[in-house]
Amino acid sequence: MESTAKSPADESPVDRSSTAERTPFQDRVFLGLIVAGVLLAWFARFVQDDAFISFIYARNLAEGLGPTWFGERIEGYTNFLWMLWMSLGFRLGIEPVLFSQVSGIALFTLFLCLAFELGRRHGGDAVGRLTVLLLVGNVSVVSYATGGLETMLQAVLLTAALLLDRRPLALSIVLLLALMTRLDSAAIGFFIGCAALWRFRDDFRSLVALVLPVGLGVALWFGWKLWYYGDPLPNTFYAKVSGLNWVGFLFLYRFLHWYALWPFLLLALRGASGLGRLLALLLLWCAYVVWVGGDFMEFRFVIPVASLLMVVVASLMHRHLRAWPRRLGIALLIAASLLHGLRFRHVTPDRTLDSLTSLGTFYDTYAERPWSSIGGTLAENLEGLDVRIALHPVGAIPFYSRLDTIDMYGLNDAWVARNGDELGDGWVRPGHQRFAPWEYLLERQVDLVLGDVQLLESGSLGTPGATGAVRRLMISSRPTAKEPLPRARVVAMPLGDGQSLLMLQARPNPPLEERMVELGWELIDVQARPSQIPEAP
């Protein structure tokens, strides 16, 4: 026979008389979950290569060069507010990775507090606690407390917007900040704002307070972008947006399946009164994710609405499951999260989703070496030379080398984003749809092409064992090429740890060639199209 005693997690969703007079910080269970979440976030902290792109713009701004890409006015970032915040760290002289991680964990703490309050509004303290527990128990949510990007800031602002829907001035300011953090906040922020407009339709002062800050702020911001960059939309919009395709559906399916969430969402079929707004906003966000084709970073696009999702799941579990089934459900969700974290360590076979482990080490490139190792070595070896490089991962290497860089995927290059070669129907990787042709690299006077970054054992260039790495370098440097290079020089720069960085020398540069010989870089000449270079034995 089931006990009638109620644990804190079993409190009735309508029993708020005892909780309305106290703050969340008087709730020991909530405080315990916050502490656990912060510790887990610090333990799981990481940074990814894309974060260094924002760091480049932020550093240039802090150094008086404006938010530019090596002096070029182009909006190659999608997180204006976060970039401004990171520039403050540079002005204060704080190491950017540490500054981003501490900032992210502070935002994560605020996010959990807001999620708790959102849960309380949809079922009392019990649902609030369960919401926080599900967030803290989710590997992706906890991991994206850091990462170096704006993910957690956007999640905080969108959650706050839901809580401020009856305070027009505060809501307007928060929606403006959310848009300035990421423009795709409009996918649900627009409808939150429209609902507020309807609510205050008969209150002129409230309507002015709701419309004026966000309207004026967006107008001024877009006006500045049009003046400074020549386009109100970020360059990444032209390089990334791919339109409706199956990869977006796959992205959402994997999240719901791997975290075992879909059975609990099906509880909505038994009744979801009071959750209609959250469910509608979740569906709108899912439609947006499908439209843009998902993302290659492990479930990053789910995090901004994670609080909405977990409130819905927690509320449905609390309404429709008795105590023991609910506890078993919680155990299942946490077990699925742990299993996912242990199992997914690399890249999916279709190359549409990269694990947090792969992102945090850049596919093992920085597993045993600091993020500054490759870029810092380039800076040291090429100091004083006029050298331009081109590569795919335009984050850490350009940041630490400070070398003028051509983004081969066009995220930071206006011409490539609009006119680059399309990678074909067989290329399904989200967010990277165009590529810089070789002729464009020569036109931009690129000296060294790194492609997708290939390393090999120092002293082995020219041996059969290096054939595979050389072939991969040439393919990644010219994936759309139909004709072989008339002449290609492959160079290997020692990194000082027994490995060397492979690069193609794209054009003659006598001072660079003298420096390479002086430093003892390995050099070989190759005359073959990439497909004709045999695989390594």
Side-chain angles (χ1 to χ4, degrees), residues 3-26:
S3 172
T4 59
K6 295 201 301 184
S7 67
D10 297 331
E11 184 182 316
S12 168
V14 296
D15 181 15
R16 303 186 188 182
S17 58
S18 62
T19 63
E21 298 178 354
R22 63 180 181 177
T23 67
F25 295 102
Q26 293 173 302

Side-chain angles (χ1 to χ4, degrees), residues 301-522:
F301 275 13
V302 177
I303 307 306
V305 294
S307 60
L308 288 69
L309 175 63
M310 294 311 182
V311 166
V312 169
V313 172
S315 182
L316 291 172
M317 291 176 69
H318 195 265
R319 293 181 188 187
H320 301 301
L321 297 179
R322 293 183 178 273
W324 280 108
R326 188 188 316 141
R327 289 166 184 160
L328 289 175
I330 295 170
L332 171 63
L333 291 174
I334 293 178
S337 177
L338 291 174
L339 179 62
H340 164 69
L342 293 172
R343 180 183 63 87
F344 188 42
R345 311 288 292 180
H346 301 291
V347 178
T348 55
D350 57 13
R351 296 188 58 78
T352 60
L353 192 68
D354 301 351
S355 69
L356 291 164
T357 303
S358 294
L359 294 172
T361 63
F362 193 70
Y363 318 100
D364 294 328
T365 300
Y366 300 103
E368 303 295 335
R369 60 170 62 89
W371 282 87
S372 60
S373 56
I374 297 177
T377 303
L378 279 168
E380 180 182 351
N381 288 351
L382 303 180
E383 183 179 5
L385 297 181
D386 183 15
V387 173
R388 177 173 287 170
I389 63 175
L391 70 161
H392 303 180
V394 291
I397 292 176
F399 176 79
Y400 287 111
S401 70
R402 288 183 177 261
L403 293 174
D404 191 2
T405 302
I406 298 298
D407 183 344
M408 297 177 73
Y409 279 131
L411 305 183
N412 297 278
D413 190 290
W415 188 91
V416 176
R418 294 161 176 79
N419 306 290
D421 291 344
E422 295 187 11
L423 290 167
D425 296 335
W427 180 261
V428 294
R429 188 164 175 80
H432 300 85
Q433 306 300 319
R434 292 187 179 273
F435 198 84
W438 186 260
E439 294 74 20
Y440 178 71
L441 301 183
L442 296 180
E443 180 183 330
R444 294 296 305 273
Q445 297 184 318
V446 169
D447 297 290
L448 297 172
V449 181
L450 283 66
D452 59 7
V453 181
Q454 298 295 324
L455 304 179
L456 81 163
E457 183 179 351
S458 296
S460 64
L461 185 62
T463 68
T467 304
V470 171
R471 182 175 186 271
R472 290 190 294 272
L473 170 66
M474 297 190 70
I475 291 176
S476 68
S477 300
R478 306 179 72 232
T480 58
K482 297 180 180 179
E483 298 298 328
L485 287 171
R487 171 181 175 271
R489 169 167 288 183
V490 180
V491 302
M493 179 189 74
L495 297 175
D497 59 359
Q499 289 192 303
S500 294
L501 172 70
L502 284 183
M503 296 174 281
L504 286 178
Q505 183 181 349
R507 69 186 184 102
N509 184 330
L512 171 62
E513 293 164 6
E514 292 177 10
R515 182 69 60 84
M516 291 191 295
V517 172
E518 176 186 337
L519 295 174
W521 289 15
E522 298 174 78

Side-chain angles (χ1 to χ4, degrees), residues 216-350:
L216 182 60
V218 169
L220 291 174
W221 180 41
F222 272 38
W224 172 81
K225 294 207 297 178
L226 187 61
W227 167 75
Y228 194 79
Y229 292 121
D231 196 321
L233 295 177
N235 187 67
T236 51
F237 172 81
Y238 304 99
K240 282 189 172 185
V241 173
S242 59
L244 182 69
N245 62 63
W246 62 270
V247 180
F249 287 104
L250 181 61
F251 179 88
L252 294 173
Y253 166 77
R254 281 170 168 160
F255 179 80
L256 295 175
H257 186 64
W258 290 355
Y259 279 112
L261 285 166
W262 60 267
F264 301 97
L265 290 174
L266 290 178
L267 291 173
L269 298 176
R270 296 179 58 184
S273 61
L275 296 174
R277 182 178 65 149
L278 296 186
L279 286 169
L281 292 175
L282 284 173
L283 288 175
L284 285 170
W285 188 262
C286 289
Y288 159 72
V289 171
V290 170
W291 179 62
V292 299
D295 187 44
F296 71 91
M297 301 180 196
E298 182 187 326
F299 304 135
R300 183 172 71 102
F301 275 13
V302 177
I303 307 306
V305 294
S307 60
L308 288 69
L309 175 63
M310 294 311 182
V311 166
V312 169
V313 172
S315 182
L316 291 172
M317 291 176 69
H318 195 265
R319 293 181 188 187
H320 301 301
L321 297 179
R322 293 183 178 273
W324 280 108
R326 188 188 316 141
R327 289 166 184 160
L328 289 175
I330 295 170
L332 171 63
L333 291 174
I334 293 178
S337 177
L338 291 174
L339 179 62
H340 164 69
L342 293 172
R343 180 183 63 87
F344 188 42
R345 311 288 292 180
H346 301 291
V347 178
T348 55
D350 57 13

Side-chain angles (χ1 to χ4, degrees), residues 184-240:
D184 60 9
S185 298
I188 61 175
F190 174 78
F191 294 94
I192 295 174
C194 287
L197 283 173
W198 179 256
R199 179 177 298 112
F200 298 113
R201 62 189 181 278
D202 297 324
D203 185 342
F204 179 75
R205 292 183 62 184
S206 294
L207 286 175
V208 171
L210 178 63
V211 173
L212 188 59
V214 66
L216 182 60
V218 169
L220 291 174
W221 180 41
F222 272 38
W224 172 81
K225 294 207 297 178
L226 187 61
W227 167 75
Y228 194 79
Y229 292 121
D231 196 321
L233 295 177
N235 187 67
T236 51
F237 172 81
Y238 304 99
K240 282 189 172 185

